Amino acid sequence: MKKQIYLRVIIGLLLIAGLVFAYASVFSEPEEPVITSTQKTRFMMDTAVEIRAIGIDSAEAVDQAFAEIGRIEQLFSRHLSDSEISSINNQAGNWVTVSPEVIQLIETSLEYCKLSDGAFDITLGNLIELWDFGANENYIPNATEIEAVLIGVDYNKVSIDKERNAIKIPSGSMIDLGGIAKGYAVDRSRNVLRDAGIEHAMIFGGGDIATIGTKGDGSPWRVGIQDPRESTQLLGIIPLINNTIVTSGDYERFFIKDGVRFHHILDPHTGYPARDVISVTIVADFAADGDALSTAVFVLGRKAGLELVESLAGFEAVIVDDEGEIWVSSGLKNIIVLL
Ligand code: ADP
Ligand code: MG
């Protein structure tokens, strides 16, 4: 008898506990999503890439953004033997089928080649290879060597078959997307952050920066422009909301021999480093465009470069010429804070 009473009491208690639990799970508030701030740096694309993001699950979003940069580097790097760009270069003279994404970025690049009348030219791979700025050899090629590789530098000779996603470059040519791919990678990683719901972010990829929204407190991201000759000093500050800023400078990859600076932005018409300016910063909606344009304007020089920027809608520039004078495009004059 006693046993039965105990059993009933226990069953009764269990029922009450179950009801309380069910009530609690139905009527309790759903868990609030937690907004976090994440800042991470990784060495990618031959540079330190830093991503700052504020939002729900920001750490995961940042990891996905880095993964996207890795994917793009794997497609576009001339230095990776199994990239699609290497496959085009290894089969110069033949049609090569590649991803639609590769065709698309090459087509965008070719637009900047045309727009700059060849100041930007993605077929200068062999020239870049000849100078080999990464190798620390401080090697200055002679005129004969330069002439020989310049024969293969002509963006007009790149053929694209969009139907088949195929591309052909002449034998003796090599393409190099080093002047645009970093910007593209930064744009794509920004898309990944946006898709993950991130509303405030900044991606720094060497000289290429893209932003989402404001800093989080409502104020714009503020990007400093480095003094090209004094790495710890800033020349000015530009506020950014949802846009990008890209700088090409002669201080990124260079060597100095007998007092002369040799750097990695080459004039495809002469085969030698471009000399008229020392730094070009472009503000644009997309970093890929800003990246190509900053390299193009660097080669065109202060006058033709500034004219090109003024003729395009949606682009602004800050140019530092070889005498240290600063040139600011008309739309940026009231926005930039010069220091
Ligand atoms: P960084 O890579 O330092 O950010 P840039 O965006 O100016 O600087 O790109 C320089 C790279 O672009 C070079 O390393 C080379 O791969 C490529 N390049 C150099 N000169 C030219 C040019 N005239 N046209 C197209 N690409 C260029
Ligand atoms: Mg560039």
Side-chain angles (χ1 to χ4, degrees), residues 165-191:
N165 285 315
I167 173 168
K168 181 166 72 127
I169 60 168
S171 65
S173 260
M174 187 195 281
I175 51 172
D176 176 313
L177 296 189
I180 191 169
K182 212 179 346 155
Y184 178 70
V186 164
D187 285 335
R188 292 298 306 232
S189 65
R190 180 171 63 169
N191 286 354

Short mmCIF file of all heavy atoms in Angstrom, two decimals, residues 165-191:
data_model
loop_
_atom_site.label_atom_id
_atom_site.label_comp_id
_atom_site.label_asym_id
_atom_site.label_seq_id
_atom_site.Cartn_x
_atom_site.Cartn_y
_atom_site.Cartn_z
N ASN A 165 33.67 30.40 -72.28
CA ASN A 165 34.53 30.79 -71.16
C ASN A 165 35.99 30.48 -71.46
O ASN A 165 36.71 29.93 -70.62
CB ASN A 165 34.13 30.07 -69.88
CG ASN A 165 32.87 30.65 -69.30
OD1 ASN A 165 32.73 31.88 -69.23
ND2 ASN A 165 31.93 29.80 -68.95
N ALA A 166 36.40 30.82 -72.68
CA ALA A 166 37.77 30.51 -73.07
C ALA A 166 38.54 31.79 -73.35
O ALA A 166 37.95 32.83 -73.70
CB ALA A 166 37.76 29.62 -74.30
N ILE A 167 39.83 31.70 -73.16
CA ILE A 167 40.70 32.87 -73.36
C ILE A 167 42.00 32.41 -74.01
O ILE A 167 42.47 31.29 -73.79
CB ILE A 167 40.97 33.59 -72.00
CG1 ILE A 167 42.00 34.70 -72.18
CG2 ILE A 167 41.40 32.62 -70.92
CD1 ILE A 167 42.11 35.63 -71.00
N LYS A 168 42.56 33.31 -74.83
CA LYS A 168 43.84 32.99 -75.47
C LYS A 168 44.72 34.23 -75.41
O LYS A 168 44.28 35.33 -75.77
CB LYS A 168 43.60 32.57 -76.93
CG LYS A 168 44.88 32.19 -77.66
CD LYS A 168 44.59 31.47 -78.97
CE LYS A 168 44.04 32.43 -80.00
NZ LYS A 168 44.77 32.42 -81.27
N ILE A 169 45.95 34.04 -74.95
CA ILE A 169 46.92 35.14 -75.02
C ILE A 169 48.01 34.71 -76.00
O ILE A 169 48.23 33.51 -76.18
CB ILE A 169 47.51 35.48 -73.63
CG1 ILE A 169 48.24 34.26 -73.02
CG2 ILE A 169 46.42 35.94 -72.67
CD1 ILE A 169 49.08 34.59 -71.80
N PRO A 170 48.67 35.67 -76.66
CA PRO A 170 49.70 35.28 -77.63
C PRO A 170 50.85 34.56 -76.94
O PRO A 170 51.14 34.83 -75.78
CB PRO A 170 50.19 36.61 -78.21
CG PRO A 170 49.23 37.64 -77.76
CD PRO A 170 48.56 37.14 -76.53
N SER A 171 51.51 33.65 -77.67
CA SER A 171 52.69 33.03 -77.06
C SER A 171 53.73 34.15 -76.90
O SER A 171 53.82 35.07 -77.71
CB SER A 171 53.21 31.89 -77.93
OG SER A 171 53.67 32.38 -79.14
N GLY A 172 54.46 34.10 -75.83
CA GLY A 172 55.39 35.19 -75.51
C GLY A 172 54.77 36.23 -74.60
O GLY A 172 55.42 37.16 -74.15
N SER A 173 53.45 36.07 -74.32
CA SER A 173 52.75 36.97 -73.40
C SER A 173 52.52 36.26 -72.07
O SER A 173 52.47 35.03 -72.02
CB SER A 173 51.38 37.34 -73.95
OG SER A 173 51.41 38.60 -74.54
N MET A 174 52.37 37.07 -71.03
CA MET A 174 52.00 36.50 -69.73
C MET A 174 51.09 37.49 -69.04
O MET A 174 51.39 38.69 -69.05
CB MET A 174 53.26 36.30 -68.88
CG MET A 174 52.98 35.55 -67.58
SD MET A 174 54.31 35.69 -66.40
CE MET A 174 55.46 34.50 -67.05
N ILE A 175 49.96 37.02 -68.53
CA ILE A 175 49.11 37.99 -67.83
C ILE A 175 49.39 37.98 -66.33
O ILE A 175 49.78 36.99 -65.74
CB ILE A 175 47.59 37.81 -68.12
CG1 ILE A 175 47.13 36.38 -67.90
CG2 ILE A 175 47.23 38.30 -69.49
CD1 ILE A 175 45.63 36.26 -67.99
N ASP A 176 49.19 39.15 -65.76
CA ASP A 176 49.44 39.38 -64.34
C ASP A 176 48.31 40.26 -63.84
O ASP A 176 48.17 41.40 -64.30
CB ASP A 176 50.80 40.08 -64.19
CG ASP A 176 51.12 40.45 -62.76
OD1 ASP A 176 50.23 41.03 -62.08
OD2 ASP A 176 52.24 40.21 -62.32
N LEU A 177 47.51 39.75 -62.92
CA LEU A 177 46.39 40.54 -62.40
C LEU A 177 46.73 41.19 -61.06
O LEU A 177 45.85 41.57 -60.30
CB LEU A 177 45.13 39.68 -62.30
CG LEU A 177 44.58 39.13 -63.62
CD1 LEU A 177 43.22 38.50 -63.40
CD2 LEU A 177 44.46 40.20 -64.69
N GLY A 178 48.04 41.30 -60.79
CA GLY A 178 48.50 41.89 -59.52
C GLY A 178 47.99 43.30 -59.30
O GLY A 178 47.93 43.77 -58.16
N GLY A 179 47.61 43.99 -60.36
CA GLY A 179 47.13 45.38 -60.22
C GLY A 179 45.64 45.47 -59.96
O GLY A 179 45.11 46.57 -59.76
N ILE A 180 44.92 44.35 -59.91
CA ILE A 180 43.46 44.41 -59.72
C ILE A 180 42.92 43.32 -58.79
O ILE A 180 41.91 43.51 -58.12
CB ILE A 180 42.73 44.36 -61.10
CG1 ILE A 180 41.23 44.69 -60.94
CG2 ILE A 180 42.92 43.01 -61.79
CD1 ILE A 180 40.51 44.93 -62.26
N ALA A 181 43.61 42.17 -58.71
CA ALA A 181 43.05 41.01 -58.00
C ALA A 181 42.90 41.23 -56.49
O ALA A 181 41.96 40.73 -55.87
CB ALA A 181 43.89 39.77 -58.25
N LYS A 182 43.81 42.02 -55.93
CA LYS A 182 43.73 42.26 -54.49
C LYS A 182 42.46 43.06 -54.17
O LYS A 182 41.73 42.76 -53.22
CB LYS A 182 44.97 43.00 -54.00
CG LYS A 182 45.32 42.63 -52.61
CD LYS A 182 46.54 43.26 -51.99
CE LYS A 182 47.52 43.98 -52.84
NZ LYS A 182 48.25 45.00 -52.04
N GLY A 183 42.20 44.05 -55.01
CA GLY A 183 40.98 44.84 -54.84
C GLY A 183 39.74 43.98 -55.00
O GLY A 183 38.78 44.08 -54.22
N TYR A 184 39.77 43.10 -55.99
CA TYR A 184 38.64 42.20 -56.23
C TYR A 184 38.42 41.29 -55.02
O TYR A 184 37.28 41.08 -54.58
CB TYR A 184 38.91 41.38 -57.49
CG TYR A 184 37.83 40.39 -57.82
CD1 TYR A 184 36.58 40.80 -58.26
CD2 TYR A 184 38.06 39.02 -57.66
CE1 TYR A 184 35.58 39.87 -58.54
CE2 TYR A 184 37.07 38.09 -57.94
CZ TYR A 184 35.84 38.52 -58.38
OH TYR A 184 34.85 37.60 -58.65
N ALA A 185 39.51 40.77 -54.47
CA ALA A 185 39.40 39.88 -53.29
C ALA A 185 38.78 40.63 -52.11
O ALA A 185 37.94 40.08 -51.39
CB ALA A 185 40.78 39.35 -52.92
N VAL A 186 39.18 41.87 -51.94
CA VAL A 186 38.63 42.67 -50.85
C VAL A 186 37.13 42.91 -51.07
O VAL A 186 36.32 42.80 -50.15
CB VAL A 186 39.43 44.00 -50.74
CG1 VAL A 186 38.69 45.03 -49.93
CG2 VAL A 186 40.80 43.73 -50.13
N ASP A 187 36.74 43.18 -52.32
CA ASP A 187 35.31 43.36 -52.64
C ASP A 187 34.52 42.10 -52.32
O ASP A 187 33.45 42.14 -51.75
CB ASP A 187 35.12 43.65 -54.14
CG ASP A 187 35.53 45.06 -54.51
OD1 ASP A 187 35.50 45.95 -53.64
OD2 ASP A 187 35.87 45.27 -55.70
N ARG A 188 35.07 40.96 -52.76
CA ARG A 188 34.34 39.71 -52.58
C ARG A 188 34.22 39.34 -51.10
O ARG A 188 33.19 38.83 -50.67
CB ARG A 188 35.02 38.58 -53.35
CG ARG A 188 34.95 38.73 -54.86
CD ARG A 188 33.51 38.69 -55.35
NE ARG A 188 32.82 37.52 -54.88
CZ ARG A 188 32.15 36.67 -55.66
NH1 ARG A 188 32.06 36.89 -56.94
NH2 ARG A 188 31.55 35.63 -55.13
N SER A 189 35.26 39.62 -50.33
CA SER A 189 35.17 39.29 -48.91
C SER A 189 34.15 40.21 -48.24
O SER A 189 33.46 39.81 -47.30
CB SER A 189 36.54 39.37 -48.24
OG SER A 189 37.02 40.67 -48.24
N ARG A 190 34.03 41.43 -48.75
CA ARG A 190 32.99 42.33 -48.22
C ARG A 190 31.60 41.75 -48.51
O ARG A 190 30.71 41.80 -47.67
CB ARG A 190 33.14 43.73 -48.83
CG ARG A 190 32.07 44.69 -48.31
CD ARG A 190 32.32 46.11 -48.72
NE ARG A 190 32.28 46.32 -50.16
CZ ARG A 190 32.27 47.51 -50.73
NH1 ARG A 190 32.31 48.60 -49.97
NH2 ARG A 190 32.23 47.63 -52.03
N ASN A 191 31.41 41.19 -49.72
CA ASN A 191 30.12 40.56 -50.03
C ASN A 191 29.79 39.44 -49.05
O ASN A 191 28.65 39.30 -48.62
CB ASN A 191 30.15 39.93 -51.44
CG ASN A 191 30.08 40.98 -52.52
OD1 ASN A 191 29.91 42.16 -52.24
ND2 ASN A 191 30.25 40.56 -53.77
#
